[in-house]
Amino acid sequence: GAVVSQHPSWVICKSGTSVKIECRSLDFQATTMFWYRQFPKQSLMLMATSNEGSKATYEQGVEKDKFLINHASLTLSTLTVTSAHPEDSSFYICSAKVPSNQPQHFGDGTRLSIL
Amino acid sequence: KNEVEQSPQNLTAQEGEFITINCSYSVGISALHWLQQHPGGGIVSLFMLSSGKKKHGRLIATINIQEKHSSLHITASHPRDSAVYICAVGWWGKLTFGTGTRLTIIP
């Protein structure tokens, strides 16, 4: 079946660093991918919708200049956390939307820790 | 009030028991999803449904659109079913998530 690969799975870095997370659809083309964030003991929250070839759509309260999303091809979307700070430490997960009435496919997530 | 409410928040049961997790929502949806999240964080889609009932192995999901309510059932539960089960409602792909139900099955 369809698989979504997310990389890296775990990142620890210093405050002020920028971190890039990749989300790839391995055996299908995904015109739309979604980026979510999950803080400890909280629900997943949609951050943004990534559309191939166009600008991402951000949810209210998510800073587009801080969380840069690029969806340059039908199989790859990237999320870059710029100048990360400890409060950005979270679990980030992507999903890819497949055509018509099929469930989204999720990546395995990236656990980001900013020191 | 959250748009998606799940109950119970935590559930511990003996192996073999029949499990029911409930989800109520308050917004319009195009589909409802049941997801399984394991300790490492990875998420697996179990069901996507917009009406009626679906069955996959020991898992059954039902939805009542009029009552805005869905249930996930697990028959003959097994320790490997231990995970967080998340209900999410979707509007053409954009999902809103419940807080999850942490299920622990004791051997």
Side-chain angles (χ1 to χ4, degrees), chain B residues 10 13 19-21 36 38-39 45 52 64 71 75 84 91-92 101:
Chain B
N10 294 284
I19 303 297
T20 296
I21 301 170
Q36 182 188 54
H38 281 279
S45 289
N64 184 317
S71 294
T75 61
V84 175
W91 185 253
W92 305 115
T101 295

Side-chain angles (χ1 to χ4, degrees), chain A residues 34 38 43-44 59 101 104, chain B residues 37 45 48 93-94 97 99:
Chain A
F34 301 95
Q38 185 179 35
S43 308
L44 285 150
E59 296 300 302
N101 297 323
Q104 295 180 22
Chain B
Q37 186 172 31
S45 289
M48 183 178 83
K94 293 179 64 174
F97 298 84
T99 52

Side-chain angles (χ1 to χ4, degrees), chain A residues 46-95:
Chain A
L46 177 65
M47 297 177 67
T49 303
S50 171
N51 300 296
E52 187 268 334
S54 64
K55 290 183 179 180
T57 304
Y58 290 81
E59 296 300 302
Q60 193 172 9
V62 178
E63 300 173 57
K64 62 180 181 180
D65 294 330
K66 182 166 184 63
F67 299 98
L68 301 179
I69 292 173
N70 184 283
H71 195 155
S73 78
L74 286 169
T75 59
L76 174 64
S77 176
T78 61
L79 168 68
T80 301
V81 184
T82 62
S83 187
H85 288 90
E87 58 267 27
D88 299 321
S89 298
S90 186
F91 183 70
Y92 294 85
I93 192 164
C94 69
S95 73

Side-chain angles (χ1 to χ4, degrees), chain B residues 28-33 48-50 63 88-92 94-95:
Chain B
I29 68 169
S30 58
L32 183 141
H33 302 249
M48 183 178 83
L49 63 165
S50 54
I63 187 168
V89 298
W91 185 253
W92 305 115
K94 293 179 64 174
L95 299 182

